């Protein structure tokens, strides 16, 4: 498992915040002004979780809502892909 570096964490968090991207998990807009503990606030998610061998580098990080990140937990992207439901068919 990779060691976390707090200086790198803060630098990467600031770099992601500057561009204000949508949530990398649900693709919804993030309100970057929300308080830290709000479920829809900005947090940094490791695309490949550290617990699954991911690295603590900017290339492996994305913006996420706090609630989305908690739901994703230490799952790999392919294990957490959103379900696709067919709501209509044409025969």
């Amino acid at each position: 498992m990779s060691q976390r570096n707090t200086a790198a964490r803060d630098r990467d968090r600031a770099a992601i915040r500057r561009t204000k991207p949508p949530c990398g998990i649900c693709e919804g807009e993030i309100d970057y002004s929300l308080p830290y503990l709000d479920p829809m606030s900005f947090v940094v998610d490791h695309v490949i979780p550290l617990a699954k061998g991911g690295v603590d580098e900017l290339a492996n990080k994305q913006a996420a809502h706090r609630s989305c990140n908690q739901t994703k937990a230490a799952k790999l992207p392919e294990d957490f892909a959103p379900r696709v439901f067919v709501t209509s068919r044409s025969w």
Side-chain angles (χ1 to χ4, degrees):
M1 185 160 118
S2 296
Q3 281 292 91
R4 291 185 190 219
N5 178 314
T6 56
R9 178 198 63 204
D10 293 345
R11 182 187 62 239
D12 293 348
R13 181 176 168 77
I16 293 169
R17 184 190 222 30
R18 272 194 298 277
T19 61
K20 299 198 182 326
C23 177
I25 298 170
C26 76
E27 300 179 1
E29 187 176 327
I30 298 173
D31 182 346
Y32 287 83
S33 67
L34 290 173
Y36 182 71
L37 293 177
D38 188 289
M40 298 305 284
S41 66
F42 162 65
V43 297
V44 174
D45 170 55
H46 288 90
V47 178
I48 306 298
L50 299 178
K52 301 283 183 168
V55 293
D56 196 26
E57 297 175 356
L58 184 57
N60 187 42
K61 295 177 181 178
Q62 63 184 354
H65 293 113
R66 174 173 296 286
S67 60
C68 292
N69 194 30
Q70 288 172 337
T71 302
K72 177 183 173 249
K75 296 179 186 83
L76 293 170
E78 57 269 18
D79 297 335
F80 193 73
R83 290 193 227 169
V84 177
F85 295 97
V86 177
T87 57
S88 66
R89 296 190 189 269
S90 51
W91 302 94

